[in-house]
Amino acid sequence: MVLTWAKPARSGTKGTTYSMEKDAKIYIAGHRGMVGGAILRHLQTQGYKNLLTRTSKDLDLRNQQAVADFFDKERPAYVFLAAAKVGGILANNTYRGEFLYDNLIIEANIIEAARRYSTTKLMFLGSSCIYPKLAPQPLKESYLLTGPLEETNEPYAIAKIAGIKLCEAYRDQYGCNFISVMPTNLYGKGDNYDLQKSHVLPALIRKFHEAKVKGDKEVVIWGTGTPKREFLYADDLAEACVFLMNEYDGKELVNVGTGEDLSIKELAELVAKVVGFEGALTFDTTKPDGTPRKLMDVSKLHALGWRHQVELPEGIRLSYEDFLQHKDNTVKATGVA
Ligand SMILES: NC(=O)C1=CN([C@@H]2O[C@H](COP(=O)(O)OP(=O)(O)OC[C@H]3O[C@@H](n4cnc5c(N)ncnc54)[C@H](OP(=O)(O)O)[C@@H]3O)[C@@H](O)[C@H]2O)C=CC1
Ligand SMILES: C[C@H]1O[C@H](OP(=O)(O)OP(=O)(O)OC[C@H]2O[C@@H](n3cnc4c(=O)[nH]c(N)nc43)[C@H](O)[C@@H]2O)[C@@H](O)[C@@H](O)C1=O
């Protein structure tokens, strides 16, 4: 396989950075998911020709031997690790064992196979929940492991921290160019609209849409509405991932977000406006709030040369359009009427 010397690295261990060749074999793990799907689409539009995908049915990434055999046969040069057990606050808190086990074993199997079968570069996707619950804001990359985690998603966060540390340790011990990026809360095309398992933004789109159609007078929002969250459109994240894969070779993780946040109440008002729901919002305070705030410090990402493009109102509009187009499939897939 040919490695091309690209532009001088802005950050890296060897003083150089590798750009992905347009015909290089690139494996997108989790390509049917919201993020993997967005990465696949972005790579296609950028002219990458040799894209490798497998569904979980064809390749269960929890199976170490199957993952090793796949890497042995296919020898991908680049890997985007976007396969994971993913969900909102309730799913994280309910399926604690699965969120820890599945995520640990998926990332360990892929990272080890990438090392063993000489993958040139791998990107691991973590999450902003790796930072301590009460860390100072905005969250700098250096705040990792400086305090206790938020309880509802501690198992998922521990698995994600293990993935980061595996990339770092493999870089130290074996010289692997494995990088980690930490996306903030995401939303966009192909999101999960199952009200028990989804994140807040797709849940609100669905709740407001269904209330509008049924003529309901109110919609119930979980928690107090006071926690603050930052949201990045998944297509923007995909662009950032491809950018960082081509430009960044550092050991330290990189935050990916917008650097702007709002309260859940403000978010609910915004989604209600886009969807056209005019009733009242009520707050179910028996449901958990989770972390009070997790605003990303994106100065490192901005210094590298990338900034988000899709602002929240526009992203919600695009997501609602996608929901309307696919809602019949979504209802079937999630089993929620
Ligand atoms: N959504 C968000 O708000 C955020 C997501 N992230 C991270 O981004 C990444 C992608 O998340 P997102 O796209 O939202 O998640 P999705 O749930 O939309 O997609 C996850 C994908 O992982 C695959 N997968 C899960 N388990 C297995 C398995 N055992 N074997 C093979 N494939 C498996 C699924 O494949 P299949 O469809 O074939 O079953 C699915 O397509 C994850 O690492 C997540 O932690 C980080 C921050 C926020
Ligand atoms: C990306 C990130 O996502 C998860 O963390 P989270 O940000 O807390 O997740 P969330 O989107 O589910 O909730 C955000 C806030 O919104 C409130 N909220 C209101 N009403 C609904 C509602 O209807 N559904 C949901 N899910 N939340 C609601 C909810 O109570 C909370 O205060 C991690 O577990 C982990 O997976 C992770 O890394």
Side-chain angles (χ1 to χ4, degrees):
M1 202 235 344
V2 182
L3 297 176
T4 49
W5 295 101
K7 46 191 103 149
R10 295 184 177 94
S11 177
T13 50
K14 297 181 188 130
T16 51
T17 193
Y18 299 114
S19 277
M20 291 186 291
E21 311 80 19
K22 293 284 165 157
D23 59 351
K25 198 179 264 191
I26 304 173
Y27 171 42
I28 304 107
H31 74 288
R32 285 206 309 181
M34 178 175 70
V35 170
I39 293 174
L40 181 65
R41 287 194 299 278
H42 187 65
L43 288 168
Q44 284 165 339
T45 61
Q46 293 299 301
Y48 291 95
K49 298 180 189 71
N50 203 350
L51 305 176
L52 190 57
T53 58
R54 290 289 184 279
T55 67
S56 60
K57 212 169 160 208
D58 294 336
L59 174 61
D60 185 340
L61 295 167
R62 293 169 302 185
N63 181 331
Q64 188 181 39
Q65 191 58 53
V67 173
D69 290 347
F70 168 72
F71 271 74
D72 187 15
K73 178 164 173 268
E74 298 291 350
R75 308 268 168 162
Y78 298 93
V79 174
F80 289 90
L81 208 179
K85 187 96 190 166
V86 181
I89 193 165
L90 187 62
N92 268 268
N93 203 21
T94 307
Y95 306 104
R96 297 174 73 85
E98 280 176 62
F99 272 76
L100 183 50
Y101 177 80
D102 282 19
N103 287 316
L104 277 176
I105 198 156
I106 288 171
E107 69 207 21
N109 286 345
I110 294 186
I111 290 169
E112 168 60 7
R115 174 194 75 80
R116 203 185 305 165
Y117 297 103
S118 306
T119 291
T120 304
K121 189 166 180 178
L122 174 146
M123 172 179 286
F124 172 67
L125 279 93
S127 160
S128 57
C129 70
I130 55 141
Y131 292 111
K133 177 176 182 175
L134 300 176
Q137 306 287 318
L139 298 160
K140 292 186 194 302
E141 285 88 351
S142 58
Y143 295 168
L144 179 64
L145 292 175
T146 55
L149 298 163
E150 205 281 315
E151 300 77 18
T152 59
N153 58 33
E154 188 187 71
Y156 175 76
I158 294 274
K160 290 292 183 185
I161 293 169
I164 296 166
K165 290 296 163 188
L166 207 49
C167 290
E168 287 179 7
Y170 275 35
R171 176 181 293 271
D172 291 342
Q173 185 177 347
Y174 307 114
C176 296
N177 191 3
F178 294 173
I179 62 171
S180 296
V181 301
M182 297 306 116
T184 190
N185 287 42
L186 305 168
Y187 69 102
K189 290 180 192 143
D191 212 337
N192 175 0
Y193 290 93
D194 178 332
L195 293 178
Q196 298 306 307
K197 294 184 179 164
S198 74
H199 291 99
V200 61
L201 208 153
L204 293 180
I205 288 179
R206 181 172 189 149
K207 284 180 178 178
F208 287 128
H209 173 78
E210 291 182 351
K212 183 179 83 169
V213 170
K214 286 193 242 153
D216 290 348
K217 299 261 178 305
E218 64 167 32
V219 161
V220 178
I221 314 294
W222 295 354
T224 59
T226 57
K228 296 185 92 174
R229 293 290 184 273
E230 172 185 353
F231 296 94
L232 179 69
Y233 192 58
D235 286 276
D236 267 353
L237 173 76
E239 188 192 80
C241 288
V242 174
F243 170 82
L244 289 168
M245 193 67 138
N246 280 324
E247 300 285 338
Y248 183 72
D249 284 332
K251 179 174 173 178
E252 195 191 45
L253 47 155
V254 184
N255 289 340
V256 183
T258 62
E260 297 154 18
D261 64 359
L262 77 176
S263 73
I264 295 300
K265 180 170 182 282
E266 288 166 332
L267 175 75
E269 288 163 355
L270 189 55
V271 177
K273 193 170 163 202
V274 172
V275 172
F277 171 76
E278 290 175 348
L281 310 182
T282 55
F283 292 88
D284 175 1
T285 53
T286 65
K287 292 284 196 302
D289 270 346
T291 305
R293 194 176 185 198
K294 44 177 179 170
L295 177 66
M296 293 291 216
D297 183 326
V298 284
S299 47
K300 184 169 169 177
L301 182 66
H302 286 179
L304 284 163
W306 189 89
R307 195 188 183 286
H308 75 283
Q309 287 183 34
V310 181
E311 298 299 344
L312 189 56
E314 172 65 359
I316 295 173
R317 196 187 62 71
L318 293 169
S319 302
Y320 184 44
E321 258 175 37
D322 188 63
F323 170 81
L324 290 176
Q325 255 176 31
H326 299 107
K327 71 177 164 20
D328 295 339
N329 299 338
T330 304
V331 170
K332 257 184 245 142
T334 63
V336 178

